[in-house]
Amino acid sequence: MLAGGGPVLAQAYQCRVPDNLTVPPIRRPADEPRRIRPVTGYTLALSWSPEFCRTCKQSRADVLQCSGENGDFGFILHGLWPETRGPDYPQWCAINPAPVPPAVAKRNLCHTPVPRLLGHEWAKHGSCMVKRPETYYRISASLFEAVQYPDMERLSRDPLTIGMLKKAIADVNPGLDPDMMVIRSNARGWLQEVRICLGASFRPRKCPSHMRRQRGDIPVKIWRGF
């Protein structure tokens, strides 16, 4: 089981929620089919915000996450995704998913500081798990808050590999092993996301074979941006 807590610089720092917050309605893209499949596990996707924001600080669409006016962010919750056997994960299960209420958005904005992403994750993924966005985000928040993080600033200073980063994360999370994670980096080798594989009971498990296999000796760099 993942433990609670974590160094403050790995999560939100001085996060401020705006008074007026709405989540835009999300429509299923025409090229993304509805897929209703039995759920056999989950992926908890944690995005490294400093890398995303290094080129988006002036973006109006990303102002809450990247401008610094509403706080600085380390890891944010990209989403909690239901999985099935094989790569064709469930998606867009509800024809007309309920909208994300403003109160739910406000409670979760410091985890996911992008209103449109809150709506998207619920409509595409959460609707395949539960009937209400309140339930989806309660589960997501509980899992996100349970993850501990190593000292990302210290790790960013020295040469680092994917295997070393996985081990550093595993070392501060009892029950989480390196083979229960996938590290996603961009073409230039900068950390973008950590994905934690979970079983049907939301406990960490070895990542299934269809997920990307990674050599542990591949270099990865961490952009701090704090």
Side-chain angles (χ1 to χ4, degrees), residues 53-179:
C53 288
R54 67 191 294 188
T55 59
C56 297
K57 291 188 181 297
Q58 307 302 320
S59 168
R60 294 184 62 184
D62 303 300
V63 63
L64 293 178
Q65 179 180 355
C66 297
S67 70
E69 296 176 3
N70 294 86
D72 295 311
F73 299 90
F75 279 108
I76 68 166
L77 174 62
H78 181 167
L80 176 64
W81 306 334
E83 302 287 351
T84 192
R85 290 183 177 86
D88 293 331
Y89 53 82
Q91 64 177 17
W92 305 108
C93 293
I95 296 176
N96 294 303
V100 177
V104 174
K106 285 186 175 183
R107 283 197 299 271
N108 290 276
L109 192 72
C110 290
H111 297 163
T112 305
V114 187
R116 180 173 178 79
L117 183 58
L118 284 168
H120 177 272
E121 294 301 294
W122 154 244
K124 181 175 182 177
H125 301 287
S127 66
C128 296
M129 295 171 46
V130 293
K131 295 181 178 180
R132 292 161 50 86
E134 293 89 338
T135 307
Y136 174 65
Y137 277 108
R138 184 171 64 250
I139 297 169
S140 299
S142 178
L143 292 168
F144 178 69
E145 292 171 356
V147 180
Q148 289 209 29
Y149 302 98
D151 187 335
M152 299 296 285
E153 183 174 2
R154 180 183 60 79
L155 288 173
S156 72
R157 296 172 184 162
D158 300 316
L160 186 68
T161 65
I162 283 177
M164 292 165 64
L165 179 55
K166 285 183 177 182
K167 184 178 185 303
I169 297 172
D171 284 347
V172 295
N173 288 280
L176 182 64
D177 296 331
D179 62 0

Side-chain angles (χ1 to χ4, degrees), residues 23-61:
V23 177
I26 304 297
R27 297 183 180 274
R28 177 178 63 84
D31 60 347
E32 294 191 15
R34 293 180 68 219
R35 284 201 300 258
I36 300 176
R37 303 280 193 272
V39 177
T40 58
Y42 302 89
T43 296
L44 184 68
L46 311 170
S47 293
W48 182 239
S49 187
E51 173 58 31
F52 175 80
C53 288
R54 67 191 294 188
T55 59
C56 297
K57 291 188 181 297
Q58 307 302 320
S59 168
R60 294 184 62 184

Side-chain angles (χ1 to χ4, degrees), residues 175-191:
L176 182 64
D177 296 331
D179 62 0
M180 298 173 176
M181 288 174 273
V182 171
I183 304 296
R184 185 168 178 260
S185 58
N186 62 24
R188 292 172 289 118
W190 293 95
L191 172 67

